Amino acid sequence: MAKRRSLHADGTRTILLYHHHRQNCTVFFAPTSPCQRIDSDLFPGIALWIKRDDLLHAEVSGNKFRKLKYPLLALQGKNPHLVSMGGLWSNHIHALAHASAVLGYASTALIRAAEGMDSAMLEDCRRLGMQIRYVSRESYRQLRDEPGYWRQCLPEVNPQHVWLPEGGSSPLALHGVAELVAEVSTSIGSCPDVFMLACGTGATMAGVLAGAERKSQVIGVAAFKNADYLHNDIRNLLQQAGYPEYDNYRLLTDFHHGGYAKTSSVLMSFCENFVSQTGIPLEPVYTGKMLFALHKLCMQAYFPEQTSVVAIHTGGLQGNRGFPYSARLIPAINT
């Protein structure tokens, strides 16, 4: 068993353990990410920490790191061909390409885009050996709605092909996310009053609910319009993963700033101010919207005085490359 330690600027380490068997390499993730105390007039009246999951891994970033952990560990020794879906800047696809390359697994991404469209994210994936296949918006909807439809998007399917759903949001993914809660409790000395996080597929919220076991309120901020259906998805994921149904959460659906991957001038101004004050890099698609919502709640005195809040930085900073503002959201100390 060999170990590789990556030392972060704040002194924390990410430990990757490699077990070599024949020609294959299986990665056992043992992540540690800090809870950084934040003292800022952007968040008056609360005791705030940022769970820096953007520091878990340079490429297999944030909540994608946690969501891939147990699904990939379950495939040890099976030499699978991993298949999943995402957009031109998908954090999940980017993380999966890197994890697959380290593990020595073949991988294919079904990308919602017209044939020939490209991005820096896809260039990374191709360089890592991932096969890219484009699908139409209609086919992408079918991938979401019809179990097994992914087989129709490949030229041939064999028993080695293993499907991972959009965003890596499988029931097994919840177990990796749930581990975050114990890490936070150890880091700050207790379970916080509130966990705050961004919502895409709902799996991260479901995982935090599972880990918190009703000890904390969990507030999710939907990153896109018309997100009320996430209530059902969260409930179903918890049930499929063997957890009880939890009701100690609130889903905020009015902070999407126009829709998925949309921004606004007020959001961008807030994000730049946050980065300037804290030195923490942001992306505005997920974590930026979540922190903006937290800021608004604080300004409305939503929380009782000195409520302890842990806001989860879910990583995904690679997606900033798709926007002209990226340099403004990465502090100079991290460039």
Side-chain angles (χ1 to χ4, degrees), residues 169-171 174 197-210 218-222 224 227-253:
S169 298
S170 65
L174 272 61
L197 54 97
C199 287
T201 62
T204 301
M205 172 171 266
V208 172
L209 283 166
V218 183
I219 301 177
V221 179
F224 50 89
D228 285 332
Y229 71 88
L230 286 176
H231 291 287
N232 287 331
D233 288 0
I234 291 165
R235 181 170 55 251
N236 290 338
L237 280 167
L238 285 165
Q239 181 182 38
Q240 292 164 18
Y243 294 106
E245 184 176 340
Y246 294 105
D247 58 6
N248 55 309
Y249 77 91
R250 182 182 178 192
L251 179 65
L252 304 180
T253 58

Side-chain angles (χ1 to χ4, degrees), residues 64 82-97 108-114 117 119 121-122 125 130-137 139-141 143-144 150 153 163-169 201 260 286 318:
K64 308 309 179 189
L82 304 174
V83 185
S84 195
M85 61 190 282
L88 284 169
W89 292 99
S90 168
N91 294 321
H92 163 64
I93 294 299
H94 191 258
L96 182 63
T108 296
L110 305 178
I111 299 297
R112 182 187 57 208
M117 293 183 69
S119 68
M121 188 280 290
L122 290 185
C125 294
M130 177 176 267
Q131 299 174 32
I132 304 299
R133 302 188 67 83
Y134 295 95
V135 298
S136 66
R137 288 185 176 272
S139 291
Y140 200 85
R141 283 194 294 270
L143 285 168
R144 281 177 170 166
W150 61 273
C153 299
W163 174 249
L164 294 175
E166 186 178 28
S169 298
T201 62
Y260 179 71
Y286 292 104
Q318 68 84 24

Side-chain angles (χ1 to χ4, degrees), residues 13-14 29-35 51-57 59-73 92 95 99 167-184 187 195 203-204 207-208 310 312-315:
R13 295 177 183 271
T14 295
F29 298 118
T32 59
S33 66
C35 279
K51 177 62 168 166
R52 295 291 307 275
D53 269 9
D54 57 308
L55 298 176
L56 281 174
H57 190 281
E59 306 296 348
V60 188
S61 178
N63 61 340
K64 308 309 179 189
F65 184 106
R66 295 186 184 276
K67 289 197 281 187
L68 287 171
K69 176 179 178 179
Y70 288 108
L72 293 186
L73 287 175
H92 163 64
S169 298
S170 65
L172 271 179
L174 272 61
H175 301 293
V177 176
E179 294 175 342
L180 175 150
V181 176
E183 292 177 26
V184 167
S187 181
F195 281 100
T204 301
V208 172
V310 171
I312 301 171
H313 193 318
T314 48

Side-chain angles (χ1 to χ4, degrees), residues 274-304:
F274 176 88
V275 172
S276 175
Q277 285 195 26
T278 67
I280 297 174
L282 275 188
E283 49 73 38
V285 177
Y286 292 104
T287 302
K289 289 179 180 178
M290 177 272 293
L291 289 169
F292 179 82
L294 178 58
H295 161 68
K296 286 298 186 182
L297 292 180
C298 289
M299 300 308 291
Q300 297 163 9
Y302 172 84
F303 301 104

